[in-house]
Amino acid sequence: MEINEDRLNSFMGKMIGDIGAAMSASLMLLGDKLGLYKALAQDGPMDAAALAKATGTAERYVREWLAAQAASGYVEYDSASGQFSMLPEQILALADEDSPIFLAAVGSLVSATFLDEPKIADAFKTGKGVGWNKRSECLFCGTARFFRTSYKHYLVHGWLPALEGVVDKLERGAKVADVGCGHGVSTRLMAEAFPNSTFYGFDYHDGSIEAARKAATEAGLSDRVHFATCSAKTFPAQAYDLVCFFDCLHDMGDPVGALRHTRSALADDGTCLLIEPFAKDRLEDNLNPVGRVYYAASTMVCTPASLDQEVGLALGAQAGEARLREVARQGGFTRFRRAAETPFNLILEARP
């Protein structure tokens, strides 16, 4: 076997970068959990002692954490003053939970994949699934916070207006189902924007429904936002004007059955909104940084979730528009189109 030294060196450089990124995920989780990023963003520049005092943490640990963050390029270090700070772009990604590019919640998601790795390793050997309801708790809260970023900035102002006639219905007063709602972030955002409409969130995970109910009550929305533990094939059919699937259809064991039930649960002129991870239809066209993240998540979370359920179609997080179109067709929808897209999402509209 002949080794190309330049290619080997390039590959090893990539591997070192990846190892550093993998190790840094736990440090991102710490920075988010302990408020280190937010304190540095608000009060920096500051040294380790000052950041430790501001966050109620131990200076020696903070000093090492800051050094690792500076080496990663996540914070800035000034050798003359011995102080650390954050650039505006770093703050948007790591310290501002309301920014359109907030990513610090990823630490919880990565943590869950490592905690659950033994379950996934067993699934590799048996071919069986690992259900959403069998995962580590940090997966649920991490997922809610991670998706909140895109939902907060795109759902009401971009995605819903891209659908034919839906915003007018919501403003007048519509009945909406949010299937696979998780902690209900998407449900609450829509309810806050459209006070004349009524919203129903459904998820098969009891813990997520409990969290969704609590959040809706705290937001003062419980009079017109209702949550129940139901699967995508059993939620009550109430002639909904809009049924939404936010980043969840590909996780379902029987997405065809879920859409077939949705078709029967819709009003005659109703709309089904599918938000799915952005993907092209061919594997070779998804071999890029976004596809890398989604294929990894699909291996550790999405595919095991689907295989744990009946049918176990296992679409995966990179199903692509053509495959999703076929699922919708089999589910009884005759009209299907890409209404919008972002670098991370496909916004698909299905109608009877």
Side-chain angles (χ1 to χ4, degrees), residues 77-132:
Y77 175 62
D78 178 38
S79 59
S81 66
Q83 291 185 320
F84 298 83
S85 61
M86 296 184 74
L87 298 171
E89 296 78 12
Q90 294 164 338
I91 291 172
L92 284 176
L94 296 169
D96 182 0
E97 199 144 354
D98 287 329
S99 92
I101 59 166
F102 179 70
L103 287 174
V106 167
S108 294
L109 298 178
V110 175
S111 173
T113 65
F114 277 99
L115 288 171
D116 293 337
E117 176 274 326
K119 298 177 183 178
I120 303 302
D122 287 342
F124 263 72
K125 298 172 185 176
T126 65
K128 296 180 180 179
V130 180
W132 186 260

Side-chain angles (χ1 to χ4, degrees), residues 315-334:
L315 284 174
Q318 293 286 267
E321 183 177 348
R323 186 80 190 279
L324 294 166
R325 180 188 297 273
E326 177 59 19
V327 167
R329 186 194 67 77
Q330 292 179 26
F333 289 89
T334 61

Side-chain angles (χ1 to χ4, degrees), residues 15 134 192 216 225 299:
M15 287 298 299
K134 301 172 185 175
E192 289 167 352
V225 177
T299 304

Side-chain angles (χ1 to χ4, degrees), residues 193-211:
F194 301 102
N196 293 327
S197 293
T198 305
F199 297 83
Y200 300 86
F202 304 108
D203 200 289
Y204 87 133
H205 181 237
D206 287 325
S208 291
I209 288 298
E210 291 174 10

Side-chain angles (χ1 to χ4, degrees), residues 169-176 191 194-199 224:
K169 293 180 182 179
L170 290 169
E171 289 175 343
R172 292 195 305 267
K175 186 181 295 184
V176 181
F194 301 102
N196 293 327
S197 293
T198 305
F199 297 83
R224 54 192 181 84

Side-chain angles (χ1 to χ4, degrees), residues 34-90:
L34 298 175
L36 297 169
Y37 290 124
K38 290 181 179 178
L40 186 60
Q42 179 178 319
D43 300 326
M46 58 205 310
D47 60 18
L51 182 56
K53 182 178 180 180
T55 54
T57 53
E59 184 273 337
R60 184 62 189 89
Y61 282 103
V62 171
R63 191 196 326 162
E64 213 69 9
W65 180 86
L66 281 168
Q69 297 300 289
S72 294
Y74 291 179
V75 307
E76 303 300 302
Y77 175 62
D78 178 38
S79 59
S81 66
Q83 291 185 320
F84 298 83
S85 61
M86 296 184 74
L87 298 171
E89 296 78 12
Q90 294 164 338

Side-chain angles (χ1 to χ4, degrees), residues 25-295:
S26 59
L27 302 186
M28 183 189 299
L29 177 60
L30 285 171
D32 180 48
K33 186 175 182 179
L34 298 175
L36 297 169
Y37 290 124
K38 290 181 179 178
L40 186 60
Q42 179 178 319
D43 300 326
M46 58 205 310
D47 60 18
L51 182 56
K53 182 178 180 180
T55 54
T57 53
E59 184 273 337
R60 184 62 189 89
Y61 282 103
V62 171
R63 191 196 326 162
E64 213 69 9
W65 180 86
L66 281 168
Q69 297 300 289
S72 294
Y74 291 179
V75 307
E76 303 300 302
Y77 175 62
D78 178 38
S79 59
S81 66
Q83 291 185 320
F84 298 83
S85 61
M86 296 184 74
L87 298 171
E89 296 78 12
Q90 294 164 338
I91 291 172
L92 284 176
L94 296 169
D96 182 0
E97 199 144 354
D98 287 329
S99 92
I101 59 166
F102 179 70
L103 287 174
V106 167
S108 294
L109 298 178
V110 175
S111 173
T113 65
F114 277 99
L115 288 171
D116 293 337
E117 176 274 326
K119 298 177 183 178
I120 303 302
D122 287 342
F124 263 72
K125 298 172 185 176
T126 65
K128 296 180 180 179
V130 180
W132 186 260
N133 56 347
K134 301 172 185 175
R135 303 303 297 260
S136 300
E137 181 65 29
C138 53
L139 178 64
F140 312 133
C141 57
T143 299
R145 290 181 67 216
F146 176 72
F147 284 124
R148 176 183 179 273
T149 297
S150 56
Y151 298 167
K152 177 179 174 61
H153 290 275
Y154 296 112
L155 173 53
V156 171
H157 302 294
W159 298 345
L160 292 176
L163 305 178
E164 185 180 341
V166 165
V167 169
D168 288 341
K169 293 180 182 179
L170 290 169
E171 289 175 343
R172 292 195 305 267
K175 186 181 295 184
V176 181
D178 189 353
V179 182
C181 65
H183 284 201
V185 173
S186 50
T187 326
R188 295 196 306 277
L189 287 169
M190 291 188 290
E192 289 167 352
F194 301 102
N196 293 327
S197 293
T198 305
F199 297 83
Y200 300 86
F202 304 108
D203 200 289
Y204 87 133
H205 181 237
D206 287 325
S208 291
I209 288 298
E210 291 174 10
R213 285 174 177 156
K214 180 181 178 182
T217 298
E218 292 173 349
L221 296 170
S222 54
D223 60 327
R224 54 192 181 84
V225 177
H226 312 282
F227 294 99
T229 302
C230 293
S231 76
K233 292 168 65 176
T234 63
F235 68 90
Q238 299 186 37
Y240 300 102
D241 299 290
L242 175 66
V243 176
C244 306
F245 291 78
F246 291 100
D247 290 289
C248 64
L249 185 72
H250 65 273
D251 294 316
M252 296 177 182
D254 184 11
V256 173
L259 291 187
R260 186 177 294 120
H261 177 66
T262 295
R263 172 67 184 83
S264 69
L266 276 173
D268 291 340
D269 61 345
T271 300
C272 178
L273 169 63
L274 305 175
I275 305 297
E276 283 287 304
F278 185 90
K280 296 186 178 180
D281 295 322
R282 302 188 306 169
L283 168 63
E284 56 266 38
D285 294 327
N286 294 323
L287 303 182
N288 51 57
V290 173
R292 183 189 189 195
V293 171
Y294 282 145
Y295 279 126

